[in-house]
Amino acid sequence: MTDQAPAVPTDSPEIPGKPVSASRTTLSHIMTHNDTNLLGTVHGGVIMKLVDDAAGAVAGRHSGGPAVTASMDEMAFLEPVRVGDLVHVKAQVNWTGRTSMEVGVRVLAERWNESAPATQVGSAYLVFAAVDAEGKPRRVPPVVPETEQDRRRYQEAQIRRTHRLARRRAIMDLRAKRAAEGFED
């Protein structure tokens, strides 16, 4: 495995930016008994799939084509989700690189038969890579933050990216050091 990113053609013209609102979306789903774990609450994996589905839709919309999940981090489950909850998964592009995008996701739940406001039950950040028909990286439009909240999310996404890259470098350095010392992993 190399620490280098795949080459992306640099001779292509600049892609115009897209506002955050152009790809923002909400996916809603009612939870049933088929979604529960042994404790009777909705399985975390079910929520994670909804998160990935909504984030994938946003990444595809923003990039104008296929995008694949590269990583998911900071998935937080704040409250349990129960059978009968109407779950809303809200996703938007927070940041873009040349071929990748960070998508922020908030998960809200409300009882299907009550008019009480929805409660935030989870959140996650996912990184998607835009790919062409051969699975090679392709450029994405820059995201254009529209509100102060969008600008804050953009700045926070840059911090998360810096941390992801530093963590990856540290792990690769450690593996190289262990290999040089004769350890096989």
Side-chain angles (χ1 to χ4, degrees):
M1 181 175 207
T2 177
D3 198 24
Q4 299 283 329
V8 177
T10 57
D11 57 351
S12 56
E14 275 302 309
I15 301 172
K18 282 187 174 178
V20 170
S21 62
S23 57
R24 185 180 288 139
T25 194
T26 300
L27 171 76
S28 295
H29 189 81
I30 193 157
M31 298 291 108
T32 68
H33 288 286
N34 292 334
D35 302 316
T36 61
N37 58 27
L38 297 174
L39 299 174
T41 56
V42 172
H43 196 289
V46 170
I47 301 299
M48 290 173 73
K49 181 176 183 333
L50 293 173
V51 164
D52 193 41
D53 287 347
V58 166
R61 280 181 171 185
H62 183 83
S63 69
V68 295
T69 310
S71 69
M72 175 188 263
D73 59 28
E74 297 186 37
M75 180 73 208
F77 297 100
L78 306 172
E79 297 285 337
V81 177
R82 305 192 185 293
V83 170
D85 281 354
L86 181 56
V87 172
H88 308 286
V89 183
K90 297 177 177 279
Q92 73 173 50
V93 174
N94 290 335
W95 175 89
T96 53
R98 288 184 51 76
T99 63
S100 64
M101 303 156 273
E102 183 195 89
V103 178
V105 181
R106 286 186 331 130
V107 183
L108 305 156
E110 61 182 308
R111 295 306 296 170
W112 69 274
N113 60 347
E114 297 176 8
S115 61
T119 302
Q120 184 170 351
V121 296
S123 64
Y125 299 101
L126 296 87
V127 176
F128 279 79
V131 295
D132 64 17
E134 287 80 44
K136 305 277 189 227
R138 63 181 176 80
R139 297 204 36 211
V140 299
V143 67
V144 179
E146 299 171 279
T147 67
E148 273 308 310
Q149 193 173 42
D150 293 342
R151 284 185 272 288
R152 176 188 54 79
R153 288 177 177 155
Y154 185 92
Q155 291 171 329
E156 290 173 358
Q158 289 178 305
I159 293 168
R160 283 187 291 275
R161 180 176 188 272
T162 299
H163 286 271
R164 279 191 289 269
L165 293 175
R167 182 177 61 231
R168 179 178 177 200
R169 252 187 322 277
I171 289 169
M172 298 308 288
D173 290 349
L174 177 61
R175 288 180 183 175
K177 180 182 177 220
R178 288 182 52 80
E181 293 170 352
F183 293 101
E184 288 187 35
D185 288 336

